[in-house]
Amino acid sequence: MEFKLEAHRIVSISLGKIYNSRGQRGGIKLHKNLLVSLVLRSARQVYLSDPCPGLYLAGSPVPPPQPGEPAAGPPAGWGEPPPPAARAAWPEPETPPGAPPARTAGRAVDAEPAAPGAGDTLQGGEAAATAEAEAAWRRAEIRARGGGRGRRGPRRRRGCAPRGPPRPAPPCACPPGGEAGPGALSCAPRPAKDERPVPPPGCPRKRGAAAGDGPADCPAPGSSPLKKPRRHPEEPAGGAAAEEEEMETGNVANLISIFGSSFSGLLRKSPAGGREEAEAEESGPEAAEPGQICCDQPVLRDINPWSTAIVAF
Amino acid sequence: MLLSLPALHLQTSEYHPLFQLPHGRLGPWCSPTGSPAPLSCETGCGEGSWILVCRLLVPTQVSLLSMEEDIDTRKINNSFLRDHSYATEADIISTVEFNHTGELLATGDKGGRVVIFQREQESKNQVHRRGEYNVYSTFQSHEPEFDYLKSLEIEEKINKIRWLPQQNAAYFLLSTNDKTVKLWKVSERDKRPEGYNLKDEEGRLRDPATITTLRVPVLRPMDLMVEATPRRVFANAHTYHINSISVNSDYETYMSADDLRINLWNFEITNQSFNIVDIKPANMEELTEVITAAEFHPHHCNTFVYSSSKGTIRLCDMRASALCDRHTKFFEEPEDPSNRSFFSEIISSISDVKFSHSGRYIMTRDYLTVKVWDLNMENRPIETYQVHDYLRSKLCSLYENDCIFDKFECVWNGSDSVIMTGSYNNFFRMFDRNTKRDVTLEASRENSKPRAILKPRKVCVGGKRRKDEISVDSLDFSKKILHTAWHPSENIIAVAATNNLYIFQDKVN
């Protein structure tokens, strides 16, 4: 348990560092951010391999099964290099709702048809693996949104609507399959968006375009106005329910899942994996039905804010 | 295209980068109280004891900014490109390097300035003053720049200085910031021509009608003046931040290394370079390691090494292929699984690599240790020295305050028998490879009275703290010694502590 808290703390710190690095004088320091991302990966692995997952549940009695996850305790969990099973579990959930994860991912992307390549799309695997976390997440993200609103401000001014799917309507601890339409997928991406290394203030849009986020740059215009009304019904519900710690850990769980996609390169050591990723990267932005690709590809989707920063840099 | 900002921290015209201080006068780098502390040790110091020669201090530049700029420039500079706090940050020393004879010592700072010190010549009158270093030349090497295409500011901080061996009366050095390497020529001028026909003594043109006789200009002695001129600018070759430069033993080429690539230059050619190492993956997603330091072999002009953030060193031979992506030798020590933590990867990242003077060994510095490797043994180092192992339990806090990313350098002494590196709290450590003894010394104003012998320091790890010891928790992590240099042949060391430069000498009676 302590490892989980420690990992949680380290993840928060690491994300903060990556976020702050975008404003540094002299540009993003590749070496330092690479090291931070390595720490993030280690912490994430500990976090997810911890056998006491109850911490990030909010209101759900049954802990989500970590499919394929080794039963190793924390010391082994982070003491060894990432166990292959863990890696497999990450992208390939074996939870019963094999369809919902794909559907979830599909929905995530469908919600933003213009932004299939956005760094914010959840991978199918991740969505399933943190199904319950989403519930806590929705509450947690209110907190994050509160903090993140300021950060998103500048981008809104520039006329670029925040990317990512619109928020789900009612908070619910059920797996995502129970929710209607595109809204069901949590807005998990959003705080990640806030956290991710936004390109330097000079030309965010150009940077996004250059990095392959082009399609993501023009999300459905309707999504933006939708968000505001939705926020309100959620807040009271969120505030009432979970404890602060659960909220934050649920928040982090999804942040981890988002950033997890950033470090697929670090997880995978073989060059073959790299090829797959390259294909995913190319196909991602242009795919008509990204949901399908999520199904087929056992690998992590690679569009991610981190690579945006690196590539643009 | 690139905006060149005015030199904000030069004081007056007499500090113009091209025409420098007359030799011998104390410049901005000297202690505000006057002359540097003289070297003296009449009481017998045992071998291995170090005394302070002089401490050189950079005055803060805050007052200059407010005096010189008008309101508008100041606003722009302060808010966008230069924060007010950068005024003092500009004085932080970022690199220190002796030249090949040890006569000159160059320092670079965060403000893009290079200051060169020259050793005081031995004189009969003041025998005890030998060993002191005085300001010889100071010039603005790099200015802050702005890359409009990427909306990135390019820092003017000098990352590295490397001297060229002296081949004539002038001195040459390479200095680099994140993107551009410059070759500077530092030369003395002690004569000037007098008696021009078309110009009068002030330089004004004379009316030719008034000239009735012709005379031959003669060279007359003048006050020694040291001038620095940029002879070559090697720009636009690096996408990532340059972390190292190294002059080849053929004295015709040098290399510059950034996070992912190493380029080979010829000194005469500035518009092209050869890329000899490229570890950039096709997909940046797959990036797992970066280059952290690189150096040429001291004698073999075809051999160089580069270190990585994963704790590995690769030795490459340029004869093998044009692109040295495949190493000739690969040095890596297997990780100790019992020491595994979240931060294992960070602390194994090598921050500096140096060949020994003999060329037989390489020394690497990672966060907690210094290792000496034999070029003929790749699977593990032959020596490992713990610099500050007491920090191993504090890695999380050091990660939070960013200290874990500090890049310490390491140096050999002239005979390769002693190695030195810095630590926190203005401590620096020396390890004698033969006797296996080590010492911790402190470079600080309070504890270094002139003529005093440096007292060895000790960090208390746990339990009872003795009187002279300092506990780990009271270490000041903002005072770090990242840059040190050792005279090539004598036991004189230069230690940079933030904006102070300490010069110590081993006094052997």
Side-chain angles (χ1 to χ4, degrees):
Chain A
M1 184 62 71
E2 313 77 51
F3 297 106
K4 203 173 185 67
L5 291 176
E6 177 77 0
H8 170 203
R9 194 167 138 256
I10 288 176
V11 167
S12 314
I13 294 169
S14 306
L15 293 174
K17 283 190 198 299
I18 294 182
Y19 180 74
N20 289 330
S21 71
R22 63 194 180 105
Q24 270 175 351
R25 208 174 158 235
I28 299 175
K29 307 252 185 299
L30 187 63
H31 184 201
K32 178 175 174 187
N33 281 277
L34 179 69
L35 295 177
V36 170
S37 71
L38 292 174
V39 171
L40 199 52
R41 175 188 64 153
S42 307
R44 181 194 66 176
Q45 265 144 20
V46 170
Y47 194 82
L48 295 171
S49 65
D50 194 303
C52 313
L55 197 60
Y56 60 86
L57 295 182
S60 172
V62 179
Q66 293 282 0
E69 204 72 294
W78 58 264
E80 300 147 16
R87 233 180 298 176
W90 192 234
E92 279 184 291
E94 281 138 45
T95 44
R103 257 188 355 118
T104 304
R107 265 177 302 174
V109 185
D110 290 343
E112 286 280 333
D120 321 311
T121 49
L122 284 183
Q123 285 76 21
E126 292 150 8
T130 57
E132 273 76 4
E134 281 188 50
W137 167 244
R138 286 185 211 115
R139 290 177 218 110
E141 60 152 333
I142 295 155
R143 200 161 280 271
R145 243 180 309 142
R149 211 167 300 149
R151 276 179 261 164
R152 273 207 308 289
R155 291 212 269 135
R156 290 225 171 137
R157 254 187 272 122
R158 286 193 273 271
C160 174
R163 306 169 203 185
R167 303 196 176 282
C172 177
C174 308
E179 289 312 303
L185 188 66
S186 92
C187 333
R190 191 156 293 108
K193 250 184 320 201
D194 302 331
E195 306 282 9
R196 73 176 170 188
V198 173
C203 21
R205 293 192 77 103
K206 291 194 205 110
R207 177 77 44 101
D213 264 353
D217 243 351
C218 324
S223 61
S224 173
L226 277 175
K227 289 181 186 84
K228 280 202 166 110
R230 274 203 185 121
R231 213 176 291 140
H232 298 302
E234 287 194 42
E235 283 187 67
E243 301 168 15
E244 170 149 333
E245 178 160 28
E246 283 174 346
M247 280 206 253
E248 287 188 84
T249 49
N251 180 7
V252 172
N254 269 277
L255 288 177
I256 292 175
S257 67
I258 300 308
F259 274 86
S261 65
S262 311
F263 312 114
S264 48
L266 301 172
L267 289 179
R268 192 172 307 105
K269 303 233 162 105
S270 67
R275 244 184 313 114
E276 286 173 1
E277 267 195 305
E279 287 159 17
E281 164 117 63
E282 284 153 27
S283 57
E286 287 88 60
E289 288 191 56
Q292 199 163 6
I293 296 208
C294 271
C295 282
D296 297 339
Q297 288 273 1
V299 304
L300 295 171
R301 292 289 291 278
D302 49 43
I303 314 299
N304 63 82
W306 174 223
S307 80
T308 303
I310 293 182
V311 170
F313 169 69
Chain B
M1 186 66 179
L2 295 180
L3 173 69
S4 180
L5 292 187
L8 296 174
H9 39 264
L10 289 186
Q11 295 184 354
T12 59
S13 59
E14 60 185 339
Y15 294 83
H16 188 280
L18 286 188
F19 296 99
Q20 299 313 307
L21 308 168
H23 180 66
R25 226 179 76 187
L26 298 181
W29 275 71
C30 288
S31 159
T33 59
S35 58
L39 158 69
S40 173
C41 182
E42 313 305 337
T43 65
C45 312
E47 182 181 308
S49 53
W50 294 85
I51 54 175
L52 174 66
V53 173
C54 49
R55 179 178 68 87
L56 303 149
L57 173 68
V58 181
T60 61
Q61 306 289 340
V62 181
S63 54
L64 299 171
L65 275 180
S66 53
M67 275 190 319
E68 291 211 338
E69 292 173 274
D70 60 34
I71 305 291
D72 287 339
T73 1
R74 197 179 338 144
K75 265 199 226 146
I76 294 171
N77 289 331
N78 283 348
S79 64
F80 184 47
L81 285 172
R82 294 192 78 98
D83 193 350
H84 197 60
S85 63
Y86 289 135
T88 47
E89 206 181 301
D91 301 330
I92 295 174
I93 300 171
S94 52
T95 183
V96 187
E97 185 84 354
F98 278 100
N99 76 337
H100 292 262
T101 60
E103 183 204 354
L104 297 180
L105 174 64
T107 60
D109 65 20
K110 272 196 168 185
R113 267 190 319 182
V114 171
V115 183
I116 302 177
F117 301 89
Q118 189 185 44
R119 193 169 182 191
E120 187 84 19
Q121 295 308 314
E122 199 169 301
S123 71
K124 290 193 215 39
N125 303 338
Q126 296 172 321
V127 133
H128 66 280
R129 283 183 77 89
R130 171 148 167 80
E132 247 182 69
Y133 281 80
N134 297 320
V135 177
Y136 179 68
S137 173
T138 172
F139 55 92
Q140 185 74 28
S141 172
H142 286 74
E143 296 277 5
E145 289 172 29
F146 192 74
D147 182 344
Y148 290 100
L149 288 181
K150 294 185 184 172
S151 293
L152 281 182
E153 199 188 351
I154 300 171
E155 274 191 290
E156 68 278 26
K157 172 170 82 100
I158 307 292
N159 291 334
K160 282 285 177 343
I161 289 176
R162 289 288 181 261
W163 289 94
L164 267 66
Q166 197 175 3
Q167 290 173 311
N168 53 33
Y171 304 102
F172 286 88
L173 61 81
L174 284 175
S175 72
T176 183
N177 68 348
D178 283 340
K179 299 285 185 183
T180 305
V181 186
K182 292 187 185 178
L183 176 70
W184 286 88
K185 174 182 175 185
V186 181
S187 51
E188 296 179 6
R189 187 193 291 257
D190 62 353
K191 294 187 185 48
R192 66 187 162 121
E194 280 179 24
Y196 282 112
N197 292 294
L198 294 178
K199 284 193 292 187
D200 63 16
E201 294 310 314
E202 279 82 45
R204 288 190 298 257
L205 287 175
R206 290 166 69 183
D207 180 7
T210 63
I211 299 170
T212 51
T213 59
L214 285 180
R215 53 185 176 164
V216 177
V218 291
L219 291 174
R220 295 207 187 284
M222 59 181 256
D223 282 344
L224 184 66
M225 182 167 287
V226 182
E227 49 186 15
T229 46
R231 302 296 293 175
R232 303 271 188 277
V233 177
F234 306 92
N236 301 324
H238 286 280
T239 311
Y240 304 95
H241 295 322
I242 297 177
N243 52 52
S244 322
I245 47 176
S246 178
V247 180
N248 205 347
S249 48
D250 62 7
Y251 304 157
E252 286 185 3
T253 56
Y254 76 94
M255 70 168 163
S256 56
D258 67 24
D259 290 324
L260 297 177
R261 298 192 178 99
I262 302 182
N263 293 334
L264 181 72
W265 300 85
N266 183 301
F267 280 111
E268 301 301 322
I269 301 170
T270 59
N271 59 359
Q272 54 179 333
S273 65
F274 287 105
N275 175 242
I276 52 177
V277 173
D278 188 342
I279 64 168
K280 182 177 180 197
N283 181 1
M284 281 298 275
E285 295 277 341
E286 299 169 44
L287 182 71
T288 54
E289 65 180 328
V290 297
I291 297 171
T292 52
E295 197 181 48
F296 269 116
H297 190 284
H299 310 310
H300 303 142
C301 57
N302 54 286
T303 307
F304 65 93
V305 292
Y306 68 92
S307 60
S308 82
S309 55
K310 274 191 174 171
T312 64
I313 306 106
R314 287 172 177 81
L315 183 137
C316 299
D317 186 338
M318 293 196 286
R319 298 172 300 189
S321 71
L323 187 60
C324 301
D325 279 357
R326 288 217 311 256
H327 49 262
T328 305
K329 293 196 191 212
F330 182 72
F331 300 86
E332 185 179 28
E333 184 178 26
E335 193 189 349
D336 179 7
S338 65
N339 273 338
R340 190 95 173 82
S341 75
F342 285 121
F343 310 104
S344 299
E345 281 132 338
I346 299 189
I347 62 172
S348 66
S349 172
I350 293 177
S351 52
D352 194 18
V353 67
K354 290 267 171 42
F355 269 102
S356 65
H357 291 92
S358 60
R360 270 199 64 187
Y361 305 103
I362 46 178
M363 166 167 57
T364 59
R365 174 73 155 101
D366 51 59
Y367 190 64
L368 297 178
T369 69
V370 185
K371 296 179 179 166
V372 177
W373 305 73
D374 188 319
L375 282 190
N376 300 318
M377 185 159 75
E378 299 174 46
N379 58 352
R380 62 180 174 82
I382 57 171
E383 295 155 28
T384 302
Y385 301 94
Q386 301 292 335
V387 181
H388 37 216
D389 202 56
Y390 45 80
L391 296 183
R392 199 177 285 272
S393 53
K394 308 231 173 284
L395 292 180
C396 195
S397 324
L398 294 167
Y399 178 71
E400 277 183 75
N401 64 12
D402 272 359
C403 281
I404 206 173
F405 301 106
D406 288 334
K407 299 193 178 154
F408 292 94
E409 293 174 7
C410 52
V411 288
W412 297 88
N413 76 336
S415 57
D416 299 336
S417 57
V418 182
I419 58 181
M420 174 169 70
T421 188
S423 178
Y424 292 104
N425 208 72
N426 281 348
F427 288 170
F428 57 99
R429 304 258 283 143
M430 285 186 202
F431 302 92
D432 189 318
R433 296 177 61 216
N434 300 325
T435 65
K436 300 300 179 200
R437 285 195 345 229
D438 61 85
V439 67
T440 305
L441 301 171
E442 183 178 359
S444 84
R445 229 179 306 185
E446 294 78 26
N447 300 334
S448 301
K449 293 190 281 287
R451 309 178 185 203
I453 305 168
L454 282 185
K455 206 173 50 175
R457 309 290 308 210
K458 194 147 162 54
V459 176
C460 145
V461 184
K464 273 178 29 158
R465 185 179 78 89
R466 289 202 207 99
K467 194 167 83 86
D468 286 339
E469 289 182 359
I470 183 166
S471 77
V472 181
D473 298 311
S474 41
L475 290 176
D476 187 344
F477 289 96
S478 65
K479 294 188 187 164
K480 50 193 91 166
I481 292 182
L482 303 174
H483 312 286
T484 58
W486 203 306
H487 190 286
S489 50
E490 296 183 34
N491 277 347
I492 301 174
I493 56 176
V495 175
T498 321
N499 61 341
N500 289 286
L501 183 71
Y502 292 85
I503 300 181
F504 300 104
Q505 178 159 353
D506 177 19
K507 191 69 180 171
V508 181
N509 259 5

